[in-house]
Amino acid sequence: MVGGSGSVVCEAKVVSDPVSLIGWFAYLEQQPSRIGLEASPLSHWLCAGLKEAGLVVELLEARHVHAAFKAMAVKTDRKDACGIAQLTRFGWFRAVHCKSLATQETRAPLAARTLVHTKRHDVEMSLRGLLRGFGLKVGKTTPRRFEARVALDRAFRKLEARLREQARVDERVRLWITTPSVGVLTALTFVSAIDHPGRFKSLRQVSAHIGLTPKRYQSAETDVSGRISKAGDHSVRTLLYEAANVILTRPVKGSGLKSWAVRLAKRAGQRKAKVALARKLAVILHRMLVDRTVFDASLAARA
């Protein structure tokens, strides 16, 4: 803990769980005005527990913390704690949104489904490679005929069934699936990324949060706009790009989005048009959630 002048008021080693931390803060004579936590796998759990106890907690962007500590010749946990306290005191950090428990529960089966889907493919490819060394070629097959994939297929089907059940009772998902090429998986993934729509002050912040806005470097006479930043949730960005690819390359009825994307593709090319369409889909889905309205093709196609 550091004071207003930056000097260390007190320090201690405490177990990283909400109960222990809350007990330590309650033991102190002087309560902290703000607590800084570096974003990590445990930070959302710790942040939620501390906020329930009435403490003011800020999650610090890990990349900003790493950049600030680059000049350290000696890096220790004690120096890191002191550095995070100083960053929190000055406010030289970018705050990270602490996702709600409901959003984390939605994200867990989505992450598990992605993991099982990846491992299922890895198992099949590994076995094909092993058999090929003996001159045995498996050839085209189906999951039912490929016995080594049976166990993973069962887990995969269970996870997909759970996600479909979850989508049936979620009002936000029922709104979003009225959008062309947006299915249950894309809608649920977008739910887990957005959490609370009111935390975005402008529509541009939505696409920037997902990493679909271009990077920019400006210094003196140099001003360069590069490719998209690819910051934020990779899974949301991937699924929105896939949805944009479906709209642009396959027949889509009742939507002016395809015509808008085709005109853009003629000027800038297919790849840029797909990225722009994915960015537009993110803004449309966010607006639909704020207004609680279904997809309107006439409004969506506007520039």
Side-chain angles (χ1 to χ4, degrees):
M1 181 184 289
V2 296
S5 62
S7 59
V8 177
V9 177
C10 63
E11 58 182 350
K13 286 186 177 180
V14 187
V15 178
S16 294
D17 66 70
V19 176
S20 301
L21 290 170
I22 293 169
W24 184 70
F25 286 124
Y27 175 77
L28 298 175
E29 295 181 359
Q30 182 180 359
Q31 293 299 305
S33 59
R34 185 164 59 178
I35 300 169
L37 287 174
E38 184 179 3
S40 66
L42 285 176
S43 58
H44 290 279
W45 172 59
L46 293 173
C47 182
L50 295 176
K51 283 185 175 180
E52 286 181 1
L55 297 169
V56 180
V57 187
E58 296 282 359
L59 286 182
L60 282 64
E61 172 68 55
R63 291 177 298 177
H64 288 194
V65 176
H66 176 72
F69 293 172
K70 273 186 177 180
M72 283 187 180
V74 178
K75 184 181 182 301
T76 63
D77 290 341
R78 185 177 182 180
K79 286 182 175 291
D80 287 350
C82 187
I84 290 173
Q86 297 293 353
L87 289 175
T88 307
R89 181 173 71 92
F90 286 113
W92 293 343
F93 63 90
R94 177 183 176 185
V96 178
H97 174 66
C98 181
K99 293 185 178 179
S100 62
L101 180 61
T103 300
Q104 294 182 54
E105 291 175 348
T106 300
R107 193 175 184 81
L110 287 168
R113 178 195 176 277
T114 303
L115 176 65
V116 173
H117 178 69
T118 303
K119 296 305 178 184
R120 185 179 67 171
H121 182 265
D122 290 344
V123 168
E124 180 182 351
M125 293 298 104
S126 296
L127 290 175
R128 286 175 180 270
L130 290 172
L131 294 174
R132 193 177 293 115
F134 298 96
L136 301 174
K137 297 182 180 180
V138 178
K140 293 183 178 180
T141 183
T142 61
R144 291 183 179 180
R145 292 171 55 190
F146 202 90
E147 296 182 2
R149 291 175 57 177
V150 171
L152 289 176
D153 277 328
R154 289 176 181 172
F156 188 73
R157 287 195 295 269
K158 286 181 180 179
L159 287 170
E160 288 208 319
R162 179 179 175 182
L163 290 172
R164 286 194 295 269
E165 288 293 330
Q166 191 171 347
R168 289 192 184 100
V169 298
D170 197 320
E171 181 185 353
R172 299 167 295 182
V173 175
R174 292 201 299 269
L175 285 175
W176 284 336
I177 59 177
T178 61
T179 308
S181 76
V182 174
V184 169
L185 186 61
T186 303
L188 283 173
T189 307
F190 196 74
V191 164
S192 66
I194 296 300
D195 197 7
H196 301 297
R199 66 190 180 98
F200 298 102
K201 296 180 180 179
S202 66
L203 295 179
R204 182 176 176 81
Q205 288 185 352
V206 179
S207 51
H209 176 71
I210 304 173
L212 289 172
T213 51
K215 294 185 289 185
R216 186 179 181 184
Y217 177 80
Q218 186 180 51
S219 178
E221 296 180 358
T222 304
D223 191 353
V224 180
S225 293
R227 297 184 177 182
I228 58 174
S229 64
K230 294 185 179 180
D233 198 321
H234 174 266
S235 57
V236 182
R237 191 166 58 252
T238 300
L239 289 173
L240 287 175
Y241 185 86
E242 290 179 358
N245 180 66
V246 170
I247 292 176
L248 195 58
T249 59
R250 299 181 186 177
V252 177
K253 297 181 180 179
S255 173
L257 283 175
K258 183 177 179 67
S259 302
W260 176 86
V262 168
R263 290 195 300 270
L264 183 60
K266 290 180 180 178
R267 299 196 311 268
Q270 287 274 349
R271 294 180 64 183
K272 290 185 178 180
K274 291 175 184 177
V275 172
L277 184 53
R279 181 166 57 244
K280 194 174 185 67
L281 281 174
V283 173
I284 290 171
L285 294 178
H286 176 265
R287 194 71 251 174
M288 289 169 62
L289 182 58
V290 173
D291 297 339
R292 296 288 176 178
T293 55
V294 297
F295 178 77
D296 189 336
S298 61
L299 295 176
R302 292 180 182 176

